[in-house]
Amino acid sequence: QLQLQESGPGLVKPSETLSLTCTVSSGSISSSSYYWGWIRQPPGKGLEWIGNIYYSGSSYYNPSLKSRVTISVDTSKNQFSLKLSSVSAADTAVYYCARLEGATGFDYWGQGTLVTVSS
Amino acid sequence: DIQMTQSPSSVSASVGDRVTITCRASQGISNWLAWYQQKPGKAPKLLIYAASSLQTGVPSRFSGSGSGTDFTLTISSLQPEDFATYYCQQANSFPYTFGQGTKLEIK
């Protein structure tokens, strides 16, 4: 069974860069069938798509975050990563990584990790 | 961006009831719509993809329909484990967008 696991600091200071990694196990991130994505959810609120990446490195970002977001992939480690710069309290959220099969939906999710932006 | 609007925002129902949640897209998305179930403290779970295809392992009491701009998720006979928040998501074009969620509560 495919598993995804987010990792990274749970507390980030305002104006700094949030960095998270998603490790994929029991499956290959290099499969040509899938994209890999990041989604976030502020406490008590709805879901926001951040962006997707393909194993080749091609990526798509939410325009609302595009100037601050970088998603990268490391196929040798079966991982993909999220960097969000110049964070503020509005970026406090549970961050999920997930697998996307074409345009069908996110079928596997990590458990999520809460990142709090505070000094 | 394509806006996704769900209704109702919340609904109260009893075990055994039939419940329908609707999702409207601000422009046509063909059938590129997914439905998710989320329980408190858990990641969303994919229920339906391509508007009407049941994800493997999801009970058959869940069904989806619609195309273009109007979609529905129906739970034919509510079970205790179905009380959760439900989200629709369009996968027609970037940026992918989600509905605001529908909270299904026990009456």
Side-chain angles (χ1 to χ4, degrees):
Chain A
Q1 172 103 355
L2 187 78
Q3 292 186 317
L4 293 85
Q5 178 69 57
E6 306 90 350
S7 59
L11 181 64
V12 181
K13 290 182 168 57
S15 80
E16 295 189 344
T17 296
L18 178 160
S19 296
L20 296 174
T21 295
C22 182
T23 301
V24 179
S25 56
S26 301
S28 175
I29 203 170
S30 298
S31 171
S32 60
S33 301
Y34 307 112
Y35 282 83
W36 305 90
W38 289 96
I39 302 100
R40 71 179 182 177
Q41 184 172 36
K45 296 188 178 180
L47 300 162
E48 180 181 30
W49 174 74
I50 299 171
N52 292 344
I53 194 164
Y54 196 52
Y55 77 96
S56 63
S58 62
S59 56
Y60 304 86
Y61 301 140
N62 192 323
S64 68
L65 300 169
K66 188 173 184 177
S67 63
R68 300 193 291 130
V69 170
T70 302
I71 298 176
S72 58
V73 63
D74 186 336
T75 55
S76 67
K77 295 182 179 179
N78 229 32
Q79 296 175 334
F80 62 107
S81 298
L82 169 70
K83 291 189 185 296
L84 181 66
S85 64
S86 303
V87 297
S88 69
D91 296 308
T92 293
V94 175
Y95 286 76
Y96 295 101
C97 59
R99 187 182 82 169
L100 176 69
E101 181 176 11
T104 59
F106 295 96
D107 59 351
Y108 283 92
W109 294 66
Q111 64 185 27
T113 188
L114 174 63
V115 179
T116 301
V117 178
S118 175
S119 56
Chain B
D1 298 4
I2 299 174
Q3 305 302 316
M4 306 301 293
T5 304
Q6 288 181 232
S7 61
S9 295
S10 65
V11 57
S12 295
S14 301
V15 172
D17 284 353
R18 179 184 182 92
V19 171
T20 297
I21 298 169
T22 65
C23 179
R24 175 165 289 176
S26 61
Q27 63 190 74
I29 59 170
S30 185
N31 68 335
W32 298 118
L33 186 98
W35 288 99
Y36 301 87
Q37 176 193 68
Q38 187 178 33
K39 296 181 178 179
K42 300 295 186 182
K45 173 186 175 183
L46 179 64
L47 300 175
I48 302 283
Y49 63 92
S52 60
S53 296
L54 195 66
Q55 176 70 358
T56 302
V58 174
S60 59
R61 63 181 179 272
F62 291 92
S63 63
S65 65
S67 66
T69 60
D70 294 310
F71 302 87
T72 61
L73 172 70
T74 299
I75 310 171
S76 60
S77 178
L78 276 172
Q79 298 303 300
E81 60 268 29
D82 299 337
F83 292 94
T85 299
Y86 293 84
Y87 293 94
C88 61
Q89 175 234 327
Q90 65 84 14
N92 180 74
S93 61
F94 295 122
Y96 289 167
T97 44
F98 291 85
Q100 81 278 15
T102 295
K103 187 173 184 179
L104 178 52
E105 299 175 300
I106 301 174
K107 183 181 287 184

